[in-house]
Amino acid sequence: MTGVVPTQDSFGTLKDGIPVTRFSFTNRNNVTIRVINFGATITDILLPDKNGKIEDISLGFDTAQDYESQHSYIGAALGRVTERIKGAKFKIDGTEYKVSANDNDKHQVHGGKIGFDMKMFEASVAGDTVTMKYVSPDGEEGFPGEVTAVFTFRFTQDNELILGYTATTTKPTPVNLSNHVYFNLAGHERQLKNDL
């Protein structure tokens, strides 16, 4: 299971001028995976169709500012907690914590009003692995404890995309990390047809 060494280039800047870096893996099968350090986001999954034409089968946007200006979580890291926290509150050891409510002003979904999908990650490359780290401070979005979240990306010559998620925390706190990539297996540019 030989890994592909990624290259990196600029993916533009956010509205405040902060640069965003893109990491690209291309294997011997002409399959390319691209990720950016804004939101630890998968931006492209490019592969040849049966005729050799390259199609992007993951949904995404064209610029860093496009990702910044929407909140659809497309391709991005999710955290601190993926999915919903009912009532935007929970208890740990008898203490109730209220977290930001961003789902109908009642519940919390995918980490709150400004979840990991909208954070700049510290990115590094070691061999065939891109590592992206974000340190969520104690109290962010109402959660207890400082959490260091690490997302890793590897791609192999055998077309395997391997994602890794780890987290360490300074206090007991819920953590449930994931990625929110969306697919259109017909290709990013094609509209789905309703033949009914």
Side-chain angles (χ1 to χ4, degrees), residues 11-20 36-41 43 60-76 113-120:
F11 193 67
T13 63
L14 300 178
K15 293 172 189 172
D16 60 5
I18 294 174
V20 176
I36 59 173
N37 64 332
F38 178 69
T41 301
T43 60
F61 301 98
D62 294 327
T63 70
Q65 292 183 20
D66 288 341
Y67 280 98
E68 183 182 22
S69 64
Q70 56 77 38
H71 210 231
S72 61
Y73 310 100
I74 288 180
K113 294 184 180 191
I114 305 177
F116 288 4
D117 63 304
M118 291 288 163
K119 302 295 184 182
M120 280 298 298

Side-chain angles (χ1 to χ4, degrees), residues 54-95:
I54 300 296
E55 297 280 0
D56 184 359
I57 64 162
S58 69
L59 302 186
F61 301 98
D62 294 327
T63 70
Q65 292 183 20
D66 288 341
Y67 280 98
E68 183 182 22
S69 64
Q70 56 77 38
H71 210 231
S72 61
Y73 310 100
I74 288 180
L78 299 180
R80 290 186 183 190
V81 174
T82 302
E83 285 302 331
R84 284 160 183 79
I85 297 176
K86 185 178 179 180
K89 61 186 176 183
F90 57 87
K91 283 186 179 180
I92 297 177
D93 297 330
T95 300

Side-chain angles (χ1 to χ4, degrees), residues 9 53 85 100 109 121 138:
D9 65 346
K53 182 182 177 195
I85 297 176
S100 61
V109 64
F121 282 70
D138 187 7

Side-chain angles (χ1 to χ4, degrees), residues 11 32-36 38-47 55-63 66-67 70 72-77 161 179-192:
F11 193 67
T32 299
I33 308 290
R34 294 183 182 137
V35 297
I36 59 173
F38 178 69
T41 301
I42 296 170
T43 60
D44 304 280
I45 300 175
L46 305 161
L47 67 154
E55 297 280 0
D56 184 359
I57 64 162
S58 69
L59 302 186
F61 301 98
D62 294 327
T63 70
D66 288 341
Y67 280 98
Q70 56 77 38
S72 61
Y73 310 100
I74 288 180
L161 175 60
N179 176 277
H180 213 268
V181 67
Y182 286 85
F183 297 96
N184 180 352
L185 298 182
H188 182 280
E189 300 301 323
R190 294 190 189 168
Q191 300 248 348
L192 297 177

